[in-house]
Structures are given as C-alpha cells and as structure tokens.
C-alpha cells in the first residue's frame, strides 16, 4: 500500500512539474523578455497563457506536501528540519510570485505593472531553483532519516543540488517555451510563435547539456541515484531522451504539431526516472517508503482522496480548457448587457495596451 | 507567545520557540482574514447573479460581475498564504509532523480536493461570463460555494483534532501504529468548531463587503447599485449573527466539558468553585488572584450549565500543575480575547437585529446615519471578533500543541534561524497586505470610471482578445 501512495506522490510531482513547472518557466521568459517596449508582446502572451490555470496548477504543490506529511511523516520532518533554508525561501517566493502575478493583472499603470512584473518574474526563477536544489539534497542522500536535521547548508549547497536547481529552471523554461509556441499559433501570432520557437530550441539544448554534465556530477556525488538511473530507471531515461530529441527535431522543422506532446513526455519521463532511481527510498539509503509509511488507515484515506481528486480535477480542467478556446457568447436574455460589453471592449483595449507599450 | 518572544534571554540565545510561535501566529492571522471572503463571497455573488437573471436586474448583474473579480484577487492571496502554512507545519513544527502527521494530515488530504474544485471553478466562472449561457454560467458558480464550505470544514477538522485528538492507537514507544481516518476527521470538537467557523466566514464576509458599501453610501453614493450591494451582503451577515451566538454558546459548553483548563482561562477562574461570576475585563495577577473588571455574580456558573444554575462548579486553573496550563500572561490574553469576541459578537448581533426589525416593521432598511456609520465599521469589528476567537482557541490550548499529548516546546524545530525568517515573512506580508487593499481600491475606482464590464483584468480571467499585429504597431507608437 505504501507503494501505491508513493506512486500517487510521484504522479503528483510529475503533474506539478509539467503544469506548474511551465508556469514558472513562463515567468523566466517574462524576466528575460527585455524592456517594456520590446517585452510587451511576449509578456502579454505569457499572461494570457498562464492566467486561467496557474492557481489550479499550484494546488498540486499543496497536494504533494500534504501527501508527504500525511503518508510519510518521518520523511517530511527530516526534510523540513534539514532543508529549512531553501524551503523557507521557496515558500516566500511562492507568496511573492502568486500575489504579484495577481496584482499585475489588475493594475493598469505601467510603473506598477513593472514592479509587480519584476517580482513575479524573479520569484519564478528563484522558486524552481530552490525546488531543484531540495530534490538534489534529498536524492543525493543528504537528508538523514529519523526526524533529525542534516547539514543545514551543505544539504542544499552541493553539486547535485546545483545540477537539480539549474536543471529545474532550464526544464521549466523549455516547457514554457514549447507551450507558448502552441499558444501563439492558436492566437494567430506567427511572429510570437517564432520568438518562442527559437527560445524552445535554445533551452532544449541547454537542458540536454546540463543533463549530460549532470550525469558526471551524479556519478561522483550521488552514487545511489546514478546507479538507479543507469539500471531500474534506464527505460524512463531513454524515453525522456528520445522524446526530447524528437521534440527538438520537430521544433527545428517548425512542425505544427507534436513538439508539445513530446516535450511534456520528455520532462515527465525525466521526473519519473528520478522517482524510479530513488526507489525504494524516500530518503536514499536511509529511509524506505515502506519504513516511513503511516498506518494503513491513513494510507487508505490518502488513496481515496487521490481518486476523488482525479474524478473532480480532470473534468474541471477539461471544461476550463474548452472554455478558454471557445468564442464569446452574447449574454442571452440580457441583450443590453451584451451591447455594453461590445461597446466597452475597444475602449478598454487601447487603455491597457497603450500603457503596456508606452 | 508574548511571554516567550519578549524574554530577552530567548532572543539572545535565538531560541526558535518564541519566533516559531510568532511566525505561525502571524501567518495564520493573515490567512484567516482572506478565508471568509473566499468562503462566502461566491455565495453573495450568486445571489446577485440570480437576481440579475430572474428579474433582469442590470445593477445586480454588474455587481455579480465585479464581485467575481474582486473575489479572484482575495482568493489568489488566500491561496498563496495558505501554501506557506503547509510548509510551516513542517518547517516550524517538525516533531509535531513526525509524531502526529499521519493523523493530523488526514483532513488536509481531503481539503486538497476542495481547493482544486474551488480554483478551477473560480476560473470557469470568470471565463463563463461571456462564454456560457447565463443559467449554465450561474450553475458553474455553485461548486465554488460548496467547495468553500467543505474546504473550511476540512481545515477546521484538523485544528479541532488538535483540541480533541482521536482516531489513533499508539504503540509502546508512543508512535502512532493505527489510524481510523473517520474518527480523526469527525473528532469530538469538529462539528461545533467547524460550524462556528463556517458561520463566522459568512458573518465576517457579509459585514466586510457591506461595510465597503455603507462607507460609499455615507459619501453620498446612494444609487440603486450601492443599495443592492449593501442589502445582499448585510442580509447574509444579519442572518449569520444570531446563529453565531447560539453556536458559540454550545461551543463554550463543549469547552467547559472537555477542556476545563481552557475554560478556566476564558472565565478567569483561579480556583475551583461554584457561583463563579462572569468577569468582564479584569486580569489575573501573578499571585493567582483576579483584580479589576466588572464581575456579574454567578453568571459564568449559570451559563456553563443552566440546569444546575449558580451551583454549577467550574474547575479552576490550579487543578493542574503550572506546566500543564497556560501562563498568567496567556490566561490574560485568552480572557481579554474572549471578552472581545463575545462583546463584538453581541454588538454585531444588535446591529443585525436593528436591521431585521426595521425590515419587519417598515419593509425597508434603517435610514439613520448612525446605522450606516455602525455598518461601515462592522467589517473591521467582525474580523477582530474572529481573530479574537482564534486566539481563545489557540492560546487557550497552551502549552499543548496536541491537547494533553504533546507540548509545543517538544514540537518545535531545532533551527535557530527562525528569527530571520520571521522578520522577512513579517515584511513580505505587510507589503502584500497593504498592496492587496490598494489594488482592490484601484479596481473599484477604475470600475466606477469605466461603468461597464471587462472580463480580462482579474487574476484568473481570460486575457484580452488577441491584438492583431498591424494595429499593435500604431498603439505602441
Ligand atoms: C465573527 C466571528 C465570531 C463571533 C461573533 C463569535 N465567535 Fe466564537 N470564535 C470564532 C468567531 C466568532 C472563531 C474565530 O471562528 C473561532 C476560533 C476557532 C473556531 O472554531 O471558531 C471561535 C472560537 C470560540 C470558542 C473557542 C472554541 C475552542 O477553543 O475550541 C468559543 C467557546 C466561542 N468561540 C464562543 C463564542 C460565543 C459564546 C460567542 C457569542 C457571542 C462567539 N463565540 C461569537
Ligand atoms: C485549521 C486551522 C489551524 C491550525 C491547524 C493551527 C495550528 C497551529 C499550530 C500547529 C500552532 C503552533 C503550536 C502552538 O502554539 O500551539 C498554532 C499556534 C497559534 N495559532 Fe493556530 N492553527 C489554526 C488556525 C489559527 C488561526 C486562524 C489563527 C488566528 C487567527 C491562529 C492563531 C494562532 C496563534 C495566535 C498561535 C500561537 C499560540 C501561542 O503560541 O501562544 N490559529 N496554531
Ligand atoms: C492552519 C491552517 C491552514 C492551512 C494549512 C491552510 C492551507 C491553505 C492552502 C494551502 C490554501 C491554498 C489553496 C489553493 O491553492 O487553492 C488555502 C486557502 C484557503 N483556506 Fe486555508 N489554511 C489554513 C487555515 C484555514 C482556515 C482556518 C480556513 C477556514 C475556515 C481556511 C480556509 C481556506 C479557504 C476557503 C481557502 C481558499 C482560498 C480562499 O478562498 O481565500 N484555511 N489554505
């Protein structure tokens, strides 16, 4: 049963990586989009792409934390004791990021949009770095079992954590760029599609280089993980690599479809590879999932909650995506309101884009 | 909390305990202000939406549309500050999680479902304004209300479990070996505590929203739009106020039966006795005597169990050793907070009664300026009452983090850097709090200027329709 919960945990981590990760990556492109004039259109696209879903994507993180502390409490205690600093930074970054994203969307004055935008974008890089570093600390066996603290600094400032952090930022940026190409095409903005296609290519290469260099680091610094990646997790590693290359080829050829799906599978398989390589340990070589597991009653409750969440979440997400792509309806039975809306639209548009571009 | 964090020795030695409590208290007290809006605003919005569709009421429609966007902002801030709390359970209280996570966590596992629902349907509702037919759109708002209710019940169930731990078996070494999730969630304290919080969410949300429109009416904006907004929100609060008195009364009796030491702190009872007076204000001195305040003879005994009246015996603080009860300072905090909660609750109830009776006899809302002034302050008062109630619960439970089973000092992290994280968090929260208010005000000013409805400037909203590339050039100039 602890295995089933561990799988749920891994699936939640994958979902967070490919959904929430892309939101962070979009923040990276926001950060690097350039001055207010040049960056206005990419920023617009970024906002449009993550607007509806960022909150729901973010709930995956909460779900991960809750599953972890409920099902494997000893592991959560060890992790929070040891990795206090990067976790606190990540928590703060999340507050800054969510709040400033929400605020930016509601203010029109350029000055404020820039302040909130900067806070949003900077924390979008900081948070995935911290998360990658946390994963690196755990995966390299630097978090001791038994609810005791490991080294408060070297647990997250070490070679594997650096690889993890940089890789997380790069992979998030890559995913976001791949999504944004698609969004730009859908919204009929071919120049933006090209803009992000170039960035997707560059970041894909960056991810590949970091991953390759990372392999050497892991061999030296995280033996258990490296062994896992080259044995148990090898199929996932291969899937990830093949899909990554496939996505790269499609992006390069500017193919209209397929790149996004392959990119997602590549990242998902990489995360799965980490999970497989680390198993059966939740804290490598000191605590296994089954040793850390909560009593059966708790695990059953968590599994029931997970099934219910899927039942609720999937149809909800589908509905949301359908609406996002659907044209506007005039409001029936409120004819005059529909008129209102039509009158209002052009005026408001010059408002905000005028500010953006000024 | 105060006693520890003000102790100079604790600061120089950087003992994390005081700082961890301060940080937990700060982040919770911030989050809880946003909770009532997240829980009850969607309900008020749907009332307006319903009126709009049923009676072709344009003012109500505009109201529903604007409220849905304000709601999105408060929901977003509520969500991120809530996330910090999930981190903090581990970061600040790792030994609590280690020992009790498997039981305490169960309600949170279910809460996740409701958060997902809430987050998804808020986005759908905002998207739906111009993409769904009106009644379908109305129904897409209902899951937000339902998820808000069950979400807050799940969270409070976890807190109630800390007050009335149940549903687990411990082994010989004290670790949890079996868990009954149903008993964990439906622990003894959960039904009343959850009901009290849920009613508080509607009461606080209603008064908060109403106070904004009361202020506008005082400034002369008495058009139909502002009146409808006030009527909807104030009516919700006015219904909740009397219910809250009843639920609170039952909850107090639950505390009397189950947490006698907390009850002694609430009622300021140093030694066990009958015919205990209800002391308004007043304080407990270090020597264990009560000074100051206005005692109402016998009332505390009488309220604790009306069937035995003034003969009801109330257990005193001295029935447990000093290290198993709140310190003198904490007792005073609990007692003062209790007076504040009940006092403000009574005032708000009277305000609601004024409104209700005027409707009953005159078929309209009270016209006097005094009423509007009172209504304009009601939002802040309700928030204070709610914060005070939480302080009663949390500080009254001291020194226990899990009542009778684990002390706060045994739960705290060993990290000595908590003072720093506290300071940073305090600064960030201050900035986020102020900005939230400013952003909401700016939105309202902009709505007033524009007059109509735009669906793309709220946090979950669709974006503006794509700007074609050619006009874009012109706009950028
Ligand atoms: C606007 C909010 C509000 C109002 C008007 C009241 N309360 Fe309250 N009270 C709360 C908001 C609240 C709260 C913040 O929601 C608490 C904290 C924990 C909880 O479940 O509810 C609470 C806790 C709380 C507790 C402590 C429960 C515990 O420790 O387990 C008691 C005994 C009462 N309340 C009783 C009352 C009474 C007798 C009231 C009558 C006037 C009253 N409350 C009005
Ligand atoms: C479900 C809800 C809640 C849970 C699970 C919870 C949990 C906790 C925990 C674990 C602590 C630290 C241990 C302790 O000091 O006892 C704490 C302390 C505290 N909480 Fe809560 N809390 C909840 C709601 C709230 C709310 C909404 C408020 C305030 C508005 C609040 C106010 C406080 C205060 C003031 C303390 C410090 C008490 C002291 O140390 O004297 N809590 N809470
Ligand atoms: C200490 C305890 C608490 C924790 C750990 C906590 C955790 C969270 C988290 C993680 C979120 C974000 C969910 C999202 O991303 O959508 C959130 C939001 C929310 N919380 Fe809390 N919460 C606590 C206290 C409370 C209390 C006491 C209540 C209610 C009575 C409550 C009700 C809500 C609601 C309704 C939301 C949705 C956001 C909103 O509507 O503003 N929470 N909370």
């Amino acid at each position: 049963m602890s295995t089933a919960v561990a799988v749920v945990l891994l699936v939640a981590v994958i979902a967070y990586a490919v959904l929430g990760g892309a939101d962070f990556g979009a923040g990276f492109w926001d950060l690097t989009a350039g001055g207010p004039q040049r960056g206005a259109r990419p920023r617009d696209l970024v906002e449009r792409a993550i607007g509806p879903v960022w909150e729901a994507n973010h709930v995956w993180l909460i779900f991960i934390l809750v599953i972890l502390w409920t099902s494997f409490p000893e592991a959560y205690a060890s992790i929070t004791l040891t990795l206090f600093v990067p976790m606190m930074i990540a928590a703060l970054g999340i507050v800054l990021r969510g709040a400033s994203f929400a605020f930016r969307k509601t203010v029109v004055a350029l000055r404020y949009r820039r302040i909130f935008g900067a806070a949003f974008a900077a924390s979008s890089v900081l948070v995935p770095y911290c998360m990658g570093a946390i994963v690196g600390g755990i995966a390299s066996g630097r978090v001791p079992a038994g609810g005791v603290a490991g080294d408060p600094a070297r647990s997250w400032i070490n070679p594997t954590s650096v690889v993890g952090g940089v890789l997380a930022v790069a992979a998030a940026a890559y995913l976001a760029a791949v999504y944004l190409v698609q969004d730009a095409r859908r919204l009929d903005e071919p120049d933006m599609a090209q803009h992000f296609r170039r960035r997707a290519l560059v970041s894909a290469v960056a991810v590949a280089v970091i991953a390759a260099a990372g392999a050497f680091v892991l061999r030296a610094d995280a033996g258990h993980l490296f062994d896992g990646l080259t044995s148990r997790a090898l199929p996932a590693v291969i899937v990830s690599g093949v899909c990554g290359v496939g996505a790269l080829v499609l992006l390069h050829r500017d193919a209209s479809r397929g790149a996004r799906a392959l990119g997602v599978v590549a990242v998902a398989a990489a995360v799965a590879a980490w999970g497989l390589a680390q198993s059966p340990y939740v804290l490598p070589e000191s605590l296994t999932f089954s040793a850390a597991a909560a009593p059966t009653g708790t695990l059953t409750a968590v599994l029931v909650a997970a099934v219910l969440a899927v039942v609720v979440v999937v149809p909800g997400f589908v509905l949301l995506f359908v609406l996002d792509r659907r044209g506007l309806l005039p409001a029936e039975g409120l004819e005059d309101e529909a008129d209102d809306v039509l009158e209002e639209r052009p005026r408001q548009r010059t408002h905000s884009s005028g500010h953006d571009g000024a | 909390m105060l006693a520890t964090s003000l102790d100079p020795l604790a600061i120089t030695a950087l003992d994390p305990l005081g700082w961890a409590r301060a940080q937990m208290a700060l982040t919770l007290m911030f989050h809880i202000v946003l909770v009532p809006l997240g829980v009850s605003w969607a309900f008020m919005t749907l009332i307006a939406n319903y009126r709009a569709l049923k009676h072709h009421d344009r003012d109500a429609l505009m109201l529903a549309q604007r409220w849905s966007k304000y709601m999105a902002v408060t929901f977003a801030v509520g969500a991120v500050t809530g996330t910090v709390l999930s981190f903090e359970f581990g970061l600040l209280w790792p030994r609590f999680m280690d020992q009790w996570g498997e039981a305490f966590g169960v309600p949170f596992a279910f809460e996740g479902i409701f958060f997902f629902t809430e987050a998804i349907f808020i986005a759908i509702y905002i998207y739906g304004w111009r993409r769904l037919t009106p009644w379908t759109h109305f129904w897409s708002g209902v899951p937000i209300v339902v998820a808000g209710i069950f979400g807050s019940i799940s969270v409070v169930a976890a807190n109630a479990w800390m007050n009335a731990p149940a549903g687990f078996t411990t082994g010989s070494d004290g670790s949890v070996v079996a868990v009954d999730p149903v008993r964990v969630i439906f622990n003894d304290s959960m039904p009343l505590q959850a009901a009290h919080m849920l009613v508080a969410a509607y009461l606080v949300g209603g008064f908060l929203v109403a106070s904004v429109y009361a202020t506008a009416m005082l400034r002369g904006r008495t058009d139909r739009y502002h009146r409808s907004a006030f009527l909807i929100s104030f009516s919700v609060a006015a219904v909740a106020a009397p219910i809250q008195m009843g639920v609170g009364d039952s909850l107090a009796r639950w505390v009397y039966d189950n947490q006698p030491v907390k009850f002694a702190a609430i009622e300021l009872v140093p030694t066990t006795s009958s015919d205990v007076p209800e002391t308004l204000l007043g304080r407990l001195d270090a020597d264990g005597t009560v000074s100051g305040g206005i005692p109402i003879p016998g009332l505390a005994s009488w309220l604790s169990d009306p069937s035995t009246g003034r003969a009801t015996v109330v257990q005193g603080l001295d029935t447990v050793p000093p290290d198993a009860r709140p310190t003198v300072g904490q007792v005073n905090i609990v007692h003062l907070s209790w007076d504040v909660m009940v006092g403000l609750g009574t005032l708000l109830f009277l305000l609601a009664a004024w409104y209700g009776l005027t409707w009953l006899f005159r078929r309209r809302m009270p016209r006097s300026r005094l009423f509007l002034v009172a209504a304009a302050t009601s939002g802040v008062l309700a928030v204070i009452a709610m914060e005070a109630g939480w302080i009663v619960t949390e500080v009254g439970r001291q020194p226990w983090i899990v009542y009778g089973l684990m002390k706060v000092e045994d739960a705290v992290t060993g990290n000595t850097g908590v003072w720093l994280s506290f300071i940073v968090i305090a600064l960030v929260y201050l900035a986020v709090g102020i900005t939230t208010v400013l952003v909401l005000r700016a939105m309202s000013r902009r709505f007033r200027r524009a007059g109509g409805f735009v669906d793309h400037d709220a946090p979950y909203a669709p974006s503006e329709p794509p700007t074609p590339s050619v006009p874009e050039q012109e706009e950028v100039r």
Side-chain angles (χ1 to χ4, degrees), chain A residues 144-165:
Chain A
V148 296
D151 190 320
R154 242 167 298 163
S155 56
W156 62 287
I157 305 175
N158 64 65
T160 308
S161 285
V162 172
V163 170

PDB file of all heavy atoms in Angstrom, chain A residues 144-165:
ATOM      1  N   PRO A 144      19.132  12.946   6.487  1.00  0.00           N
ATOM      2  CA  PRO A 144      19.164  11.725   7.293  1.00  0.00           C
ATOM      3  C   PRO A 144      17.759  11.312   7.747  1.00  0.00           C
ATOM      4  O   PRO A 144      16.877  12.155   7.877  1.00  0.00           O
ATOM      5  CB  PRO A 144      20.009  12.131   8.494  1.00  0.00           C
ATOM      6  CG  PRO A 144      19.820  13.601   8.619  1.00  0.00           C
ATOM      7  CD  PRO A 144      19.579  14.131   7.234  1.00  0.00           C
ATOM      8  N   ALA A 145      17.578  10.031   8.002  1.00  0.00           N
ATOM      9  CA  ALA A 145      16.282   9.552   8.483  1.00  0.00           C
ATOM     10  C   ALA A 145      16.134   9.879   9.963  1.00  0.00           C
ATOM     11  O   ALA A 145      17.025  10.454  10.581  1.00  0.00           O
ATOM     12  CB  ALA A 145      16.193   8.038   8.270  1.00  0.00           C
ATOM     13  N   GLY A 146      14.998   9.510  10.527  1.00  0.00           N
ATOM     14  CA  GLY A 146      14.823   9.591  11.968  1.00  0.00           C
ATOM     15  C   GLY A 146      14.375  10.936  12.482  1.00  0.00           C
ATOM     16  O   GLY A 146      14.452  11.216  13.674  1.00  0.00           O
ATOM     17  N   GLY A 147      13.883  11.789  11.593  1.00  0.00           N
ATOM     18  CA  GLY A 147      13.409  13.087  12.050  1.00  0.00           C
ATOM     19  C   GLY A 147      14.498  13.910  12.707  1.00  0.00           C
ATOM     20  O   GLY A 147      14.265  14.619  13.674  1.00  0.00           O
ATOM     21  N   VAL A 148      15.720  13.799  12.188  1.00  0.00           N
ATOM     22  CA  VAL A 148      16.800  14.639  12.713  1.00  0.00           C
ATOM     23  C   VAL A 148      17.326  15.514  11.589  1.00  0.00           C
ATOM     24  O   VAL A 148      17.126  15.238  10.411  1.00  0.00           O
ATOM     25  CB  VAL A 148      17.962  13.793  13.287  1.00  0.00           C
ATOM     26  CG1 VAL A 148      17.489  12.994  14.471  1.00  0.00           C
ATOM     27  CG2 VAL A 148      18.538  12.890  12.227  1.00  0.00           C
ATOM     28  N   ALA A 149      18.001  16.610  11.979  1.00  0.00           N
ATOM     29  CA  ALA A 149      18.477  17.561  10.987  1.00  0.00           C
ATOM     30  C   ALA A 149      19.811  17.118  10.413  1.00  0.00           C
ATOM     31  O   ALA A 149      20.698  16.679  11.134  1.00  0.00           O
ATOM     32  CB  ALA A 149      18.620  18.940  11.620  1.00  0.00           C
ATOM     33  N   GLY A 150      19.967  17.246   9.103  1.00  0.00           N
ATOM     34  CA  GLY A 150      21.267  17.062   8.470  1.00  0.00           C
ATOM     35  C   GLY A 150      21.985  18.397   8.419  1.00  0.00           C
ATOM     36  O   GLY A 150      21.603  19.344   9.109  1.00  0.00           O
ATOM     37  N   ASP A 151      22.994  18.475   7.607  1.00  0.00           N
ATOM     38  CA  ASP A 151      23.750  19.720   7.478  1.00  0.00           C
ATOM     39  C   ASP A 151      22.864  20.826   6.886  1.00  0.00           C
ATOM     40  O   ASP A 151      22.356  20.678   5.776  1.00  0.00           O
ATOM     41  CB  ASP A 151      24.952  19.458   6.554  1.00  0.00           C
ATOM     42  CG  ASP A 151      25.921  20.639   6.566  1.00  0.00           C
ATOM     43  OD1 ASP A 151      25.442  21.788   6.573  1.00  0.00           O
ATOM     44  OD2 ASP A 151      27.140  20.391   6.575  1.00  0.00           O
ATOM     45  N   PRO A 152      22.653  21.921   7.618  1.00  0.00           N
ATOM     46  CA  PRO A 152      21.706  22.936   7.142  1.00  0.00           C
ATOM     47  C   PRO A 152      22.169  23.663   5.880  1.00  0.00           C
ATOM     48  O   PRO A 152      21.360  24.241   5.166  1.00  0.00           O
ATOM     49  CB  PRO A 152      21.599  23.910   8.312  1.00  0.00           C
ATOM     50  CG  PRO A 152      22.838  23.712   9.106  1.00  0.00           C
ATOM     51  CD  PRO A 152      23.235  22.278   8.917  1.00  0.00           C
ATOM     52  N   ALA A 153      23.462  23.681   5.604  1.00  0.00           N
ATOM     53  CA  ALA A 153      23.939  24.394   4.423  1.00  0.00           C
ATOM     54  C   ALA A 153      24.297  23.423   3.304  1.00  0.00           C
ATOM     55  O   ALA A 153      23.804  23.522   2.185  1.00  0.00           O
ATOM     56  CB  ALA A 153      25.152  25.253   4.779  1.00  0.00           C
ATOM     57  N   ARG A 154      25.141  22.435   3.635  1.00  0.00           N
ATOM     58  CA  ARG A 154      25.634  21.585   2.558  1.00  0.00           C
ATOM     59  C   ARG A 154      24.556  20.658   2.012  1.00  0.00           C
ATOM     60  O   ARG A 154      24.719  20.057   0.957  1.00  0.00           O
ATOM     61  CB  ARG A 154      26.847  20.792   3.021  1.00  0.00           C
ATOM     62  CG  ARG A 154      28.059  21.158   2.180  1.00  0.00           C
ATOM     63  CD  ARG A 154      29.340  20.660   2.784  1.00  0.00           C
ATOM     64  NE  ARG A 154      29.586  21.241   4.089  1.00  0.00           N
ATOM     65  CZ  ARG A 154      30.455  20.739   4.964  1.00  0.00           C
ATOM     66  NH1 ARG A 154      31.114  19.638   4.676  1.00  0.00           N
ATOM     67  NH2 ARG A 154      30.670  21.339   6.115  1.00  0.00           N
ATOM     68  N   SER A 155      23.441  20.551   2.722  1.00  0.00           N
ATOM     69  CA  SER A 155      22.368  19.713   2.205  1.00  0.00           C
ATOM     70  C   SER A 155      21.751  20.309   0.944  1.00  0.00           C
ATOM     71  O   SER A 155      21.130  19.602   0.172  1.00  0.00           O
ATOM     72  CB  SER A 155      21.292  19.544   3.278  1.00  0.00           C
ATOM     73  OG  SER A 155      20.839  20.810   3.700  1.00  0.00           O
ATOM     74  N   TRP A 156      21.910  21.597   0.743  1.00  0.00           N
ATOM     75  CA  TRP A 156      21.338  22.173  -0.485  1.00  0.00           C
ATOM     76  C   TRP A 156      22.348  22.988  -1.280  1.00  0.00           C
ATOM     77  O   TRP A 156      22.057  23.412  -2.393  1.00  0.00           O
ATOM     78  CB  TRP A 156      20.097  23.010  -0.165  1.00  0.00           C
ATOM     79  CG  TRP A 156      20.352  24.190   0.714  1.00  0.00           C
ATOM     80  CD1 TRP A 156      20.613  24.168   2.049  1.00  0.00           C
ATOM     81  CD2 TRP A 156      20.374  25.564   0.329  1.00  0.00           C
ATOM     82  NE1 TRP A 156      20.804  25.432   2.523  1.00  0.00           N
ATOM     83  CE2 TRP A 156      20.649  26.314   1.488  1.00  0.00           C
ATOM     84  CE3 TRP A 156      20.166  26.238  -0.881  1.00  0.00           C
ATOM     85  CZ2 TRP A 156      20.745  27.700   1.481  1.00  0.00           C
ATOM     86  CZ3 TRP A 156      20.252  27.621  -0.891  1.00  0.00           C
ATOM     87  CH2 TRP A 156      20.542  28.344   0.288  1.00  0.00           C
ATOM     88  N   ILE A 157      23.530  23.202  -0.693  1.00  0.00           N
ATOM     89  CA  ILE A 157      24.595  23.825  -1.479  1.00  0.00           C
ATOM     90  C   ILE A 157      25.618  22.729  -1.736  1.00  0.00           C
ATOM     91  O   ILE A 157      26.537  22.524  -0.945  1.00  0.00           O
ATOM     92  CB  ILE A 157      25.223  25.008  -0.728  1.00  0.00           C
ATOM     93  CG1 ILE A 157      24.119  25.996  -0.324  1.00  0.00           C
ATOM     94  CG2 ILE A 157      26.269  25.701  -1.591  1.00  0.00           C
ATOM     95  CD1 ILE A 157      24.606  27.145   0.517  1.00  0.00           C
ATOM     96  N   ASN A 158      25.408  21.967  -2.787  1.00  0.00           N
ATOM     97  CA  ASN A 158      26.290  20.853  -3.112  1.00  0.00           C
ATOM     98  C   ASN A 158      26.147  20.577  -4.604  1.00  0.00           C
ATOM     99  O   ASN A 158      25.206  21.086  -5.237  1.00  0.00           O
ATOM    100  CB  ASN A 158      25.899  19.627  -2.274  1.00  0.00           C
ATOM    101  CG  ASN A 158      24.500  19.146  -2.606  1.00  0.00           C
ATOM    102  OD1 ASN A 158      24.237  18.696  -3.720  1.00  0.00           O
ATOM    103  ND2 ASN A 158      23.574  19.262  -1.666  1.00  0.00           N
ATOM    104  N   PRO A 159      27.039  19.806  -5.175  1.00  0.00           N
ATOM    105  CA  PRO A 159      26.997  19.619  -6.640  1.00  0.00           C
ATOM    106  C   PRO A 159      25.648  19.114  -7.149  1.00  0.00           C
ATOM    107  O   PRO A 159      25.102  19.661  -8.112  1.00  0.00           O
ATOM    108  CB  PRO A 159      28.108  18.600  -6.887  1.00  0.00           C
ATOM    109  CG  PRO A 159      29.038  18.734  -5.732  1.00  0.00           C
ATOM    110  CD  PRO A 159      28.205  19.143  -4.556  1.00  0.00           C
ATOM    111  N   THR A 160      25.094  18.090  -6.514  1.00  0.00           N
ATOM    112  CA  THR A 160      23.837  17.545  -7.032  1.00  0.00           C
ATOM    113  C   THR A 160      22.710  18.580  -6.957  1.00  0.00           C
ATOM    114  O   THR A 160      21.884  18.689  -7.866  1.00  0.00           O
ATOM    115  CB  THR A 160      23.450  16.274  -6.243  1.00  0.00           C
ATOM    116  OG1 THR A 160      24.556  15.388  -6.242  1.00  0.00           O
ATOM    117  CG2 THR A 160      22.258  15.591  -6.869  1.00  0.00           C
ATOM    118  N   SER A 161      22.689  19.364  -5.853  1.00  0.00           N
ATOM    119  CA  SER A 161      21.654  20.380  -5.728  1.00  0.00           C
ATOM    120  C   SER A 161      21.804  21.451  -6.794  1.00  0.00           C
ATOM    121  O   SER A 161      20.806  21.956  -7.323  1.00  0.00           O
ATOM    122  CB  SER A 161      21.710  21.030  -4.347  1.00  0.00           C
ATOM    123  OG  SER A 161      21.190  20.152  -3.384  1.00  0.00           O
ATOM    124  N   VAL A 162      23.042  21.819  -7.100  1.00  0.00           N
ATOM    125  CA  VAL A 162      23.238  22.816  -8.153  1.00  0.00           C
ATOM    126  C   VAL A 162      22.713  22.273  -9.475  1.00  0.00           C
ATOM    127  O   VAL A 162      21.958  22.954 -10.191  1.00  0.00           O
ATOM    128  CB  VAL A 162      24.726  23.217  -8.261  1.00  0.00           C
ATOM    129  CG1 VAL A 162      24.936  24.102  -9.486  1.00  0.00           C
ATOM    130  CG2 VAL A 162      25.171  23.934  -7.006  1.00  0.00           C
ATOM    131  N   VAL A 163      23.061  21.030  -9.788  1.00  0.00           N
ATOM    132  CA  VAL A 163      22.541  20.429 -11.017  1.00  0.00           C
ATOM    133  C   VAL A 163      21.015  20.432 -10.982  1.00  0.00           C
ATOM    134  O   VAL A 163      20.347  20.841 -11.937  1.00  0.00           O
ATOM    135  CB  VAL A 163      23.067  18.983 -11.182  1.00  0.00           C
ATOM    136  CG1 VAL A 163      22.339  18.284 -12.325  1.00  0.00           C
ATOM    137  CG2 VAL A 163      24.560  18.991 -11.430  1.00  0.00           C
ATOM    138  N   GLY A 164      20.455  19.990  -9.847  1.00  0.00           N
ATOM    139  CA  GLY A 164      18.995  19.931  -9.733  1.00  0.00           C
ATOM    140  C   GLY A 164      18.365  21.291  -9.941  1.00  0.00           C
ATOM    141  O   GLY A 164      17.388  21.433 -10.690  1.00  0.00           O
ATOM    142  N   GLY A 165      18.922  22.310  -9.287  1.00  0.00           N
ATOM    143  CA  GLY A 165      18.338  23.646  -9.375  1.00  0.00           C
ATOM    144  C   GLY A 165      18.397  24.197 -10.780  1.00  0.00           C
ATOM    145  O   GLY A 165      17.386  24.659 -11.333  1.00  0.00           O
TER     146      GLY A 165
END
